[in-house]
Amino acid sequence: MQIAPSFLSCDFSKMGEELMRMDKAGADLIHLDVMDGHFVPNITFGAPVIKWARPYTKLPFDVHLMISEPHRYIQDFVQAGADIITFHVECDSNIDETISLIEKSGVKPGLVIKPNTPASSVFPYMDRLYMVLVMTVEPGFGGQSFMADMLPKVQELKEYAKNIGKDILIEADGGINENTIKQCSDAGIDICVSGTGVFKADDAALAIDNLKKLCE
Ligand code: DX5
Ligand code: ZN
């Protein structure tokens, strides 16, 4: 299991140090939650903050766009240093065109599905995706409760990918901690985002280690 601490839960008064702390603690990727106050009822940060954060770690930046019109900002996030860009299948942009913009920039594209969106909504794009992100909370805020009833989507996505001969990563996001990660690994998830579970732990290295051990 790979662990992607969510930057949203860091102490922003020292975000550089926070990233170095995650790097040292054994994180596999850094998950960055971009919210526009329109697609979701919360505003976080945009490309300039990601650009400032970029020099503090070599870990891949997994940028999760919770914004209405991702196609308008892909270049900004590419230039800021994103390695993976995921955006919501429920957004207002043309999905194929947005995937093309990400692909053309040499960044890995992924689609995200909200709790009420079926797994099948991403099937038409699956052959072009590096990752599918399954939300296990309603997007918008950190620190919410895990929705275990989202997990059957993982099997559906994996089966569809297998049928089209595609190797795809499945990521889960929201409410993942030591009490919920085992269910994610049993369901076949490859990458777990954890905000509160890692950043707010007394010892981040121990927290990441524990999360990984619980999946063995
Ligand atoms: C929610 C975000 C998540 C969130 C995870 O909209 O996409 O990445 O920050 O935080 P926790 O692990 O605290 O649920
Ligand atoms: Zn996220």
Side-chain angles (χ1 to χ4, degrees), residues 121-160:
S121 63
V122 300
F123 290 172
Y125 313 104
M126 194 86 119
D127 60 330
R128 307 186 62 197
L129 301 177
Y130 171 74
M131 177 195 276
V132 175
L133 170 50
V134 176
M135 291 307 301
T136 44
V137 296
E138 223 27 89
F141 301 91
Q144 304 183 76
S145 299
F146 182 75
M147 298 165 83
D149 49 341
M150 295 302 122
L151 294 175
K153 291 181 186 179
V154 180
Q155 191 55 33
E156 275 184 75
L157 292 164
K158 291 245 163 184
E159 254 166 44
Y160 188 86

Side-chain angles (χ1 to χ4, degrees), residues 67-216:
I67 65 179
S68 296
E69 297 188 284
H71 75 281
R72 292 175 56 193
Y73 305 97
I74 298 303
Q75 272 329 304
D76 294 349
F77 290 103
V78 168
Q79 278 160 16
D83 297 283
I84 303 166
I85 296 180
T86 63
F87 64 100
H88 278 259
V89 73
E90 309 90 353
C91 74
D92 297 333
S93 297
N94 179 287
I95 305 292
D96 273 311
E97 281 170 21
T98 308
I99 295 173
S100 295
L101 287 173
I102 300 171
E103 266 175 349
K104 270 189 234 152
S105 313
V107 170
K108 294 164 176 149
L111 276 171
V112 193
I113 48 177
K114 293 209 258 185
N116 288 330
T117 304
S120 57
S121 63
V122 300
F123 290 172
Y125 313 104
M126 194 86 119
D127 60 330
R128 307 186 62 197
L129 301 177
Y130 171 74
M131 177 195 276
V132 175
L133 170 50
V134 176
M135 291 307 301
T136 44
V137 296
E138 223 27 89
F141 301 91
Q144 304 183 76
S145 299
F146 182 75
M147 298 165 83
D149 49 341
M150 295 302 122
L151 294 175
K153 291 181 186 179
V154 180
Q155 191 55 33
E156 275 184 75
L157 292 164
K158 291 245 163 184
E159 254 166 44
Y160 188 86
K162 198 176 161 204
N163 286 342
I164 61 166
K166 172 93 186 171
D167 210 9
I168 198 160
L169 291 175
I170 310 288
E171 183 176 46
D173 183 10
I176 300 172
N177 53 39
E178 55 194 7
N179 302 316
T180 52
I181 197 158
K182 179 78 168 80
Q183 300 168 63
C184 295
S185 95
D186 288 348
I189 286 163
D190 305 290
I191 304 171
C192 278
V193 175
S194 183
T196 324
V198 174
F199 271 102
K200 306 283 191 237
D202 293 333
D203 183 336
L206 197 67
I208 292 176
D209 209 45
N210 266 344
L211 289 173
K212 291 195 176 211
K213 282 205 179 109
L214 287 163
C215 299
E216 283 165 8

